[in-house]
Amino acid sequence: RKRRKGAREFDWSKATFGHYVLKVAYVGTKYHGLAWQDPNICPNCPTVESKLFEALVKTCLIRDRQSCGYSRCGRTDRGVHAAGNYVALQLRKKPVKDGSEEQGEDYDYIAMLNGVLPLDIRILAACRAPDGFDARFSCRYRAYQYYFPIGGEDLARMREAARHYVGEHDFRNFCKMDIENVTNYRRRVLSVSVEELPGGVGEFAVTGVAFLWHQVRCMVAVLLLVGAGLEEPDIIKELLDIEKHPRKPIYEPADESGLVLRDCGFEDLAIAPSVPAPP
């Protein structure tokens, strides 16, 4: 039986690159969040980005994680899902003919990556990035949805309470404190809604410029207490007054399995919702 020859090493010397944006969806159940984690520190911590980088290297679209100029939009936590997250990076383009001054054309990045990614991670769209684009800092808003089984909650009370979230507030009582990395806890919420969906499912939707660690899950947790009659709707207004309540009360955030990053808004990006944010 003949021995298979080793795979020929890819010649990167003639590769040309362009700056691209990928729209990514994933079921986060099996993953330790979106962000890549060092396997030497956490060897059994698969993340969405670790699978994405594996696919990018396997298809020779990038040489390695460190050199591709990568940026991400929403850094979702363990078990959280996304229907529309965005990353930007330098991807290899099709080679140009010798002597040609034309730029290399795009590969079918969607098909190439979806062919090797796990089925619970999908590339939904791809396009060239505008000049100066950064997936995090170019984002104008993020839209989340949280789904929960309705077990007798009063949704009208929840709607009344949720209205207090809209506007710019100090949300330190509605997040997991990250004192090493965060000093400013003011965030601007653009819109909220509480709706009943078919099948006895409740949906809390919130759109904001940016969010703190576990902020949406903490917002939902307090809303569910209001819906169950354990707190009054004004509790949210009270907790947003940090002079009255400088210390976060003890409560558990809502379970991560119900949280979905629905989409993110950018200016002049064909594959993303436009600005301003929808109500």
Side-chain angles (χ1 to χ4, degrees):
R1 199 174 185 182
K2 290 184 178 180
R3 296 175 63 184
R4 292 182 64 185
K5 293 183 179 180
R8 191 173 69 177
E9 188 171 342
F10 187 83
D11 182 6
W12 289 99
S13 64
K14 297 179 180 179
T16 58
F17 296 86
H19 195 202
Y20 293 86
V21 184
L22 302 177
K23 183 174 185 177
V24 189
Y26 46 87
V27 178
T29 307
K30 297 193 307 186
Y31 299 105
H32 289 242
L34 169 71
W36 180 87
Q37 296 188 38
D38 189 340
N40 295 317
I41 298 174
C42 192
N44 297 309
C45 301
T47 69
V48 174
E49 283 183 356
S50 69
K51 297 298 182 183
L52 179 58
F53 286 127
E54 285 176 16
L56 289 162
V57 170
K58 186 173 184 178
T59 52
C60 294
L61 292 176
I62 66 170
R63 190 165 191 170
D64 52 46
R65 178 181 63 85
Q66 295 87 346
S67 64
C68 66
Y70 183 85
S71 64
R72 70 173 77 88
C73 183
R75 180 171 178 164
T76 54
D77 294 324
R78 178 175 181 168
V80 176
H81 322 291
N85 205 345
Y86 296 80
V87 302
L89 70 168
Q90 297 286 328
L91 295 177
R92 183 171 61 89
K93 299 188 291 188
K94 288 183 178 179
V96 296
K97 295 180 180 179
D98 291 340
S100 172
E101 295 183 0
E102 296 181 4
Q103 292 187 350
E105 295 182 357
D106 302 347
Y107 283 106
D108 186 347
Y109 300 114
I110 301 171
M112 290 177 70
L113 291 169
N114 284 340
V116 295
L117 280 166
L119 292 177
D120 52 8
I121 303 174
R122 297 286 90 184
I123 305 300
L124 301 182
C127 70
R128 296 202 181 197
D131 291 343
F133 184 88
D134 182 283
R136 177 185 176 189
F137 295 111
S138 298
C139 182
R140 294 294 176 260
Y141 64 84
R142 286 107 172 142
Y144 282 90
Q145 291 167 330
Y146 190 93
Y147 298 97
F148 58 94
I150 297 176
E153 288 87 359
D154 186 332
L155 299 190
R157 282 170 57 90
M158 293 176 69
R159 289 189 194 99
E160 180 185 350
R163 286 198 294 266
H164 294 300
Y165 286 134
V166 177
E168 184 173 323
H169 307 285
D170 188 311
F171 280 94
R172 69 183 63 200
N173 289 328
F174 294 92
C175 71
K176 184 174 182 179
M177 299 295 283
D178 185 9
I179 57 176
E180 291 185 3
N181 299 307
V182 178
T183 57
N184 179 13
Y185 292 91
R186 296 192 70 83
R187 296 293 185 271
R188 186 155 62 99
V189 170
L190 303 174
S191 66
V192 296
S193 66
V194 178
E195 302 294 342
E196 181 174 0
L197 304 180
V201 175
E203 176 198 81
F204 170 63
V206 56
T207 300
V209 176
F211 292 89
L212 298 162
W213 193 11
H214 290 186
Q215 181 181 335
V216 178
R217 290 170 56 195
C218 288
M219 293 167 74
V220 172
V222 178
L223 281 180
L224 290 173
L225 291 174
V226 172
L230 299 174
E231 295 286 355
E232 293 301 315
D234 281 349
I235 187 62
I236 289 173
K237 184 178 180 181
E238 286 288 313
L239 291 177
L240 289 172
D241 186 341
I242 61 166
E243 291 187 2
K244 275 189 179 179
H245 303 278
R247 300 176 70 93
K248 180 187 174 185
I250 297 173
Y251 65 90
E252 288 297 316
D255 187 85
E256 68 273 7
S257 63
L259 184 58
V260 180
L261 174 57
R262 186 186 76 208
D263 220 324
C264 308
F266 299 87
E267 292 180 358
D268 303 322
L269 190 66
I271 62 174
S274 60
V275 175

